[in-house]
Amino acid sequence: MSTLAEPNSAALADPSSAPAKKTRIVFIDIGRGLGALLVFYSHIAHPWVIAKNDKAPYVDFIEALTSDPMHMSKQGIGQIAVPFFFLVSGFVVTPIALRQGTGRFALNRFIRVYAPMLFVVLLTAFLLLVNLHPPSTGQAQTLNPLTVFTNTTLVNYLIYPQIVLVPVAWTMIVEVIFYLLLMAVLPLLRRWVWLAIAVELTFIFVVMMSRSQLGPSWSLFAVNVSYLPAMVIGQVIWATTKKQIPLWTGALYGGCAWSLYVLADVINVGRVDSSYNLALAFAVACFLMGMFAEDRLKQRKIWTMLSERSYSIYLLHMLVTFVLLQLLRPAVPLPIALLIVIPAVFGVVELSYRFVERPSHSLARRLSHKPKPPPPAPETPEPPVEPPVETPGETTQLVDDAEVTAEIPKIPAEPLPPRRPAPRPRPVQNGRMPRNGAPPPNDAPRAMPPRANGGAHRARPVESAVDRTAEPPVRRPMPPRRRPSAPPELRYQPDQENQGQRGDHDDLPRHGNSFRHTPR
């Protein structure tokens, strides 16, 4: 037992050995970092290796273990990362909006989303101008100022016909729609969380069911709205864990959001395959496992770095990979080409993070920061007012604002006469000292009248009037007190305190343990 207790005692004695306090949600950092890497892998394996029939046995082996059993052979295992990102947005962004308010939240999100997006769109436009053929979705990539503006603001995903310069940016328009919906229900969210989530679910249902009623642009809007239930599930998890809504209400809302997400497949809103529901289920399971394991997870620098750069990885990986592979293949074998492409991708990501994304985050925090009220000015102490010099016989007036006070000079008091020493107390016959050194009027004690049945009180000295202004006497050691003997007639009287209730039986002898004193 002592050997088991020694490490704990040493850890308590050494503060440096204690676990460091976490400043981030670790499972979200791990999920975002792994999600960005999975998307990176899937966009190499499927749009390039499989679609272009570029032989890579190791890619076929990984796909046989991951994408094929989960029916994700069209998009790859990275499809799980997209609903996980949506869950994180609902879980993390909702309390941020509540804390910042509508105006500050809108400004913060606008800068964070659109500053890196502008950089990626301009880089794509440059590559198109030099004929390096960035990746496309098969749609037109018409380059003009209008298409650059619509792609930067993500409005191109709501305009028919679509012109898409950055294929992976379709998830960002879903994020922006969620931010707008969150700001719309923010007043309800502050007071009634259950009502705000109910309004969000109702909005999603109405838009999805009316997708074919208001033209093609509204249909595109409904397609993007069909992904919002994943964010609502993350929002429900936050509200339930923070006890904003009861558990049964969270379970009910989670089931409704899941039903709306599945309904998008039933009404055919344009999804590529039938793997979206399974991807969301797997993402929710991973999210809940990470949340329950948060206390056991340690904050690592590698996960923090990947999480902070996940947005830049997501936006840039496909652009840099396709351009470089087009330049290297088939002259360079695929494994060697990948060894060149992967470091190049992370190099461009690092440049984007350091010079675009991180400065935009700093600007967003600075502009959306709530100004603190200025501290109150320190009160300067007023200089002390020196009293005027007064002379006897004069009257001085002190003016303070509108109040005038007349002060009459004080007449010095006459010196007090010297105190006379207190008389030395004289002892009394019964051995007591008089109080305050005052002598008794006579030496003889005052006799008390006898009580009924022959009882009498013990004589006590009579105190005279005491001078309260006299100086207390110096205490001297007193002689040992001796109890005076009782008079002969009371010396053998039993039970002196209860003479009035004596009877004949009281005169009988008692046992040895009795307090009565009987003559022998």
Side-chain angles (χ1 to χ4, degrees), residues 202-232:
T202 304
F203 169 79
I204 295 170
F205 176 76
V206 170
V207 172
M208 288 174 56
M209 299 308 296
S210 62
R211 74 191 190 285
S212 59
Q213 307 298 324
L214 301 174
S217 295
W218 181 260
S219 179
L220 291 175
F221 178 70
V223 169
N224 292 293
V225 168
S226 66
Y227 294 96
L228 292 183
M231 298 178 176
V232 175

Side-chain angles (χ1 to χ4, degrees), residues 25-32 84 91 286-287 290-291 294 297:
I25 305 177
V26 179
F27 85 92
I28 289 181
D29 283 346
I30 296 175
R32 292 177 63 185
F84 186 88
F91 185 81
C286 292
F287 189 92
M291 187 175 62
E294 174 64 23
L297 299 176

Side-chain angles (χ1 to χ4, degrees), residues 59-108:
V59 174
D60 296 337
F61 176 76
I62 296 174
E63 290 298 305
L65 294 178
T66 57
S67 301
D68 294 343
M70 300 186 69
H71 307 283
M72 300 178 184
S73 56
K74 288 187 177 181
Q75 301 185 66
I77 194 64
Q79 188 179 352
I80 299 174
V82 174
F84 186 88
F85 290 150
F86 291 161
L87 291 171
V88 170
S89 294
F91 185 81
V92 174
V93 175
T94 301
I96 293 177
L98 285 172
R99 184 175 66 252
Q100 292 182 345
T102 304
R104 294 171 55 207
F105 176 76
L107 181 61
N108 185 284

Side-chain angles (χ1 to χ4, degrees), residues 57 117 188 226 324 368 424 429 458 499:
M117 192 67 205
L188 288 178
S226 66
L324 291 180
S368 62
R424 182 177 181 180
Q429 290 181 359
R458 190 171 55 193
Q499 289 296 322

